[in-house]
Amino acid sequence: FDRSQYSINLILQEPDDGMGGEFTYWPDSRNKVDTWDYWQEPEESKLIRPQLLPGSLYLFAGNRSLHCVSKIKEGNSKVRTNAIFTYNEEPNVMLNHYTRKMFFGVD
């Protein structure tokens, strides 16, 4: 999950086919987590893997849907590049320490 109520994501470049970077999410799973066994993965049929291509624009509710992006494999000639615009109703919401370090390498 992330902290944003929703985000708009613009895919600029995807890795080469079969080299990772696949986006997967479990829609509206926030309310299911309380009863979910954290050591058990959700049923495969509940996961969504949209085909995202350069130029894809999608709206995503990251604070309500468990999600991840698979690791990009070594030897890939392209990096995964996207622009993410996040929105919150509350003012002055900032990224936490972990997210700043993970995405930008700063504290």
Side-chain angles (χ1 to χ4, degrees), residues 97-107:
H97 169 76
Y98 170 82
T99 304
R100 287 192 309 270
K101 187 74 171 170
M102 180 75 151
F103 283 93
F104 305 108
V106 297
D107 292 327

PDB file of all heavy atoms in Angstrom, residues 97-107:
ATOM      1  N   HIS A  97      10.161   8.540   5.423  1.00  0.00           N
ATOM      2  CA  HIS A  97      11.601   8.330   5.291  1.00  0.00           C
ATOM      3  C   HIS A  97      11.915   7.174   4.333  1.00  0.00           C
ATOM      4  O   HIS A  97      12.762   7.295   3.446  1.00  0.00           O
ATOM      5  CB  HIS A  97      12.211   8.064   6.669  1.00  0.00           C
ATOM      6  CG  HIS A  97      13.634   7.585   6.623  1.00  0.00           C
ATOM      7  ND1 HIS A  97      14.687   8.434   6.373  1.00  0.00           N
ATOM      8  CD2 HIS A  97      14.162   6.344   6.755  1.00  0.00           C
ATOM      9  CE1 HIS A  97      15.800   7.738   6.361  1.00  0.00           C
ATOM     10  NE2 HIS A  97      15.508   6.465   6.596  1.00  0.00           N
ATOM     11  N   TYR A  98      11.259   6.042   4.515  1.00  0.00           N
ATOM     12  CA  TYR A  98      11.505   4.853   3.678  1.00  0.00           C
ATOM     13  C   TYR A  98      11.286   5.171   2.201  1.00  0.00           C
ATOM     14  O   TYR A  98      12.108   4.842   1.360  1.00  0.00           O
ATOM     15  CB  TYR A  98      10.586   3.703   4.117  1.00  0.00           C
ATOM     16  CG  TYR A  98      10.618   2.534   3.159  1.00  0.00           C
ATOM     17  CD1 TYR A  98      11.645   1.592   3.226  1.00  0.00           C
ATOM     18  CD2 TYR A  98       9.649   2.378   2.188  1.00  0.00           C
ATOM     19  CE1 TYR A  98      11.702   0.533   2.352  1.00  0.00           C
ATOM     20  CE2 TYR A  98       9.691   1.319   1.299  1.00  0.00           C
ATOM     21  CZ  TYR A  98      10.714   0.399   1.384  1.00  0.00           C
ATOM     22  OH  TYR A  98      10.765  -0.647   0.504  1.00  0.00           O
ATOM     23  N   THR A  99      10.177   5.824   1.884  1.00  0.00           N
ATOM     24  CA  THR A  99       9.855   6.115   0.489  1.00  0.00           C
ATOM     25  C   THR A  99      10.845   7.104  -0.115  1.00  0.00           C
ATOM     26  O   THR A  99      11.281   6.934  -1.257  1.00  0.00           O
ATOM     27  CB  THR A  99       8.415   6.658   0.381  1.00  0.00           C
ATOM     28  OG1 THR A  99       7.531   5.703   0.973  1.00  0.00           O
ATOM     29  CG2 THR A  99       8.009   6.880  -1.057  1.00  0.00           C
ATOM     30  N   ARG A 100      11.219   8.145   0.630  1.00  0.00           N
ATOM     31  CA  ARG A 100      12.213   9.095   0.114  1.00  0.00           C
ATOM     32  C   ARG A 100      13.531   8.397  -0.194  1.00  0.00           C
ATOM     33  O   ARG A 100      14.169   8.650  -1.216  1.00  0.00           O
ATOM     34  CB  ARG A 100      12.436  10.232   1.120  1.00  0.00           C
ATOM     35  CG  ARG A 100      11.280  11.213   1.198  1.00  0.00           C
ATOM     36  CD  ARG A 100      11.637  12.477   1.968  1.00  0.00           C
ATOM     37  NE  ARG A 100      12.219  12.235   3.270  1.00  0.00           N
ATOM     38  CZ  ARG A 100      11.529  12.114   4.403  1.00  0.00           C
ATOM     39  NH1 ARG A 100      10.215  12.203   4.379  1.00  0.00           N
ATOM     40  NH2 ARG A 100      12.138  11.916   5.553  1.00  0.00           N
ATOM     41  N   LYS A 101      13.949   7.503   0.704  1.00  0.00           N
ATOM     42  CA  LYS A 101      15.205   6.772   0.510  1.00  0.00           C
ATOM     43  C   LYS A 101      15.104   5.812  -0.679  1.00  0.00           C
ATOM     44  O   LYS A 101      15.997   5.731  -1.517  1.00  0.00           O
ATOM     45  CB  LYS A 101      15.552   6.012   1.800  1.00  0.00           C
ATOM     46  CG  LYS A 101      16.888   5.364   1.778  1.00  0.00           C
ATOM     47  CD  LYS A 101      17.988   6.376   1.913  1.00  0.00           C
ATOM     48  CE  LYS A 101      19.313   5.701   2.115  1.00  0.00           C
ATOM     49  NZ  LYS A 101      20.417   6.622   2.008  1.00  0.00           N
ATOM     50  N   MET A 102      13.986   5.092  -0.765  1.00  0.00           N
ATOM     51  CA  MET A 102      13.803   4.087  -1.802  1.00  0.00           C
ATOM     52  C   MET A 102      13.763   4.701  -3.199  1.00  0.00           C
ATOM     53  O   MET A 102      14.383   4.213  -4.132  1.00  0.00           O
ATOM     54  CB  MET A 102      12.502   3.323  -1.531  1.00  0.00           C
ATOM     55  CG  MET A 102      12.177   2.256  -2.508  1.00  0.00           C
ATOM     56  SD  MET A 102      13.245   0.880  -2.188  1.00  0.00           S
ATOM     57  CE  MET A 102      12.246  -0.426  -2.737  1.00  0.00           C
ATOM     58  N   PHE A 103      13.010   5.812  -3.359  1.00  0.00           N
ATOM     59  CA  PHE A 103      12.816   6.384  -4.677  1.00  0.00           C
ATOM     60  C   PHE A 103      13.853   7.435  -5.061  1.00  0.00           C
ATOM     61  O   PHE A 103      14.177   7.592  -6.226  1.00  0.00           O
ATOM     62  CB  PHE A 103      11.417   6.991  -4.783  1.00  0.00           C
ATOM     63  CG  PHE A 103      10.352   5.968  -4.962  1.00  0.00           C
ATOM     64  CD1 PHE A 103       9.686   5.447  -3.862  1.00  0.00           C
ATOM     65  CD2 PHE A 103      10.001   5.503  -6.214  1.00  0.00           C
ATOM     66  CE1 PHE A 103       8.696   4.497  -4.005  1.00  0.00           C
ATOM     67  CE2 PHE A 103       9.026   4.546  -6.385  1.00  0.00           C
ATOM     68  CZ  PHE A 103       8.378   4.041  -5.274  1.00  0.00           C
ATOM     69  N   PHE A 104      14.359   8.175  -4.064  1.00  0.00           N
ATOM     70  CA  PHE A 104      15.220   9.305  -4.382  1.00  0.00           C
ATOM     71  C   PHE A 104      16.611   9.225  -3.762  1.00  0.00           C
ATOM     72  O   PHE A 104      17.456  10.080  -4.016  1.00  0.00           O
ATOM     73  CB  PHE A 104      14.543  10.614  -3.955  1.00  0.00           C
ATOM     74  CG  PHE A 104      13.174  10.777  -4.542  1.00  0.00           C
ATOM     75  CD1 PHE A 104      12.045  10.646  -3.741  1.00  0.00           C
ATOM     76  CD2 PHE A 104      13.002  11.021  -5.893  1.00  0.00           C
ATOM     77  CE1 PHE A 104      10.773  10.790  -4.285  1.00  0.00           C
ATOM     78  CE2 PHE A 104      11.749  11.155  -6.442  1.00  0.00           C
ATOM     79  CZ  PHE A 104      10.624  11.035  -5.640  1.00  0.00           C
ATOM     80  N   GLY A 105      16.833   8.229  -2.905  1.00  0.00           N
ATOM     81  CA  GLY A 105      18.149   8.051  -2.288  1.00  0.00           C
ATOM     82  C   GLY A 105      18.488   9.089  -1.239  1.00  0.00           C
ATOM     83  O   GLY A 105      19.648   9.253  -0.891  1.00  0.00           O
ATOM     84  N   VAL A 106      17.489   9.805  -0.731  1.00  0.00           N
ATOM     85  CA  VAL A 106      17.720  10.832   0.285  1.00  0.00           C
ATOM     86  C   VAL A 106      16.835  10.591   1.491  1.00  0.00           C
ATOM     87  O   VAL A 106      15.808   9.930   1.413  1.00  0.00           O
ATOM     88  CB  VAL A 106      17.439  12.259  -0.273  1.00  0.00           C
ATOM     89  CG1 VAL A 106      18.392  12.598  -1.391  1.00  0.00           C
ATOM     90  CG2 VAL A 106      16.007  12.395  -0.734  1.00  0.00           C
ATOM     91  N   ASP A 107      17.231  11.153   2.625  1.00  0.00           N
ATOM     92  CA  ASP A 107      16.433  11.023   3.852  1.00  0.00           C
ATOM     93  C   ASP A 107      15.430  12.143   3.954  1.00  0.00           C
ATOM     94  O   ASP A 107      15.543  13.187   3.496  1.00  0.00           O
ATOM     95  CB  ASP A 107      17.351  11.040   5.083  1.00  0.00           C
ATOM     96  CG  ASP A 107      18.197   9.768   5.121  1.00  0.00           C
ATOM     97  OD1 ASP A 107      17.719   8.724   4.697  1.00  0.00           O
ATOM     98  OD2 ASP A 107      19.346   9.874   5.577  1.00  0.00           O
TER      99      ASP A 107
END
